[in-house]
């Protein structure tokens, strides 16, 4: 039986954009990271805003940060991390997510509300990164 190749199945060596996933819930972080890798992105993972800031301060190329808003154990929440990125790394795009905060956020932030579907996540990332829609 021949299965059709999924349009999201891109060899990891061909990934062109790097996404930093900031999520304190391990299972959620692992699933999202794997989905993004299957969509052809390079992925770096962090569990706190503090860890994300250390990575953003390192000599790493990061195109976009996908972060939960609620980050227990961090000195900043997702909104604070967004402000830090805007001040220190303005070239890095940010997409926040939460199941507890309505979109838009208090500062007008556009949020991906949990629970979200995998295609909605990929579509939002592609728009933010100014990539063509899937399949083009």
């Amino acid at each position: 039986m021949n299965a059709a190749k999924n349009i999201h199945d891109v060899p990891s060596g061909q990934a062109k954009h790097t996404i930093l996933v900031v999520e304190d819930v391990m299972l959620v972080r692992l699933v999202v990271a794997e989905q993004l890798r299957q969509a052809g992105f390079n992925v770096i993972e962090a569990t706190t805003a503090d860890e994300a800031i250390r990575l953003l301060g390192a000599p790493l190329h990061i195109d976009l940060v996908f972060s939960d808003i609620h980050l227990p154990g961090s000195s900043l929440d997702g909104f604070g991390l967004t402000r830090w990125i805007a001040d220190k790394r303005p070239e890095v795009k940010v997409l926040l997510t939460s199941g507890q905060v309505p979109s838009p956020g208090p500062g007008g932030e556009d949020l991906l509300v949990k629970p979200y579907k995998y295609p909605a996540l990929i579509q939002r990332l592609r728009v933010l990164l100014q990539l063509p829609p899937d399949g083009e």
Side-chain angles (χ1 to χ4, degrees):
M1 172 187 217
N2 269 346
K5 184 173 173 78
N6 185 317
I7 61 171
H8 300 295
D9 293 340
V10 177
S12 60
Q14 294 179 13
K16 295 179 182 168
H17 292 86
T18 301
I19 297 175
L20 171 57
V21 175
V22 187
E23 171 62 60
D24 62 301
V25 179
M26 183 175 64
L27 183 57
V28 173
R29 187 179 65 254
L30 293 174
V31 169
V32 169
E34 181 57 28
Q35 289 173 334
L36 296 178
R37 287 183 183 105
Q38 287 181 11
F41 295 104
N42 288 319
V43 179
I44 302 170
E45 300 174 38
T47 58
T48 66
D50 301 320
E51 185 179 355
I53 287 170
R54 281 192 297 277
L55 291 167
L56 287 159
L60 299 170
H61 175 80
I62 297 172
D63 297 291
L64 185 142
V65 173
F66 179 54
S67 177
D68 192 13
I69 291 172
H70 302 286
L71 297 167
S74 295
S75 61
L76 299 172
D77 63 7
F79 294 121
L81 177 59
T82 298
R83 289 188 296 274
W84 187 93
I85 292 168
D87 184 49
K88 307 287 188 194
R89 294 284 308 269
E91 76 283 3
V92 176
K93 306 220 183 319
V94 178
L95 177 60
L96 296 175
T97 186
S98 177
Q100 301 173 13
V101 178
S103 185
E109 299 88 353
D110 189 22
L111 307 174
L112 183 60
V113 179
K114 290 179 181 179
Y116 52 82
K117 302 278 188 199
Y118 167 72
L121 170 60
I122 299 303
Q123 178 185 12
R124 294 287 288 280
L125 295 175
R126 294 183 75 77
V127 167
L128 285 169
L129 294 169
Q130 299 178 333
L131 299 172
D134 280 346
E136 288 186 17

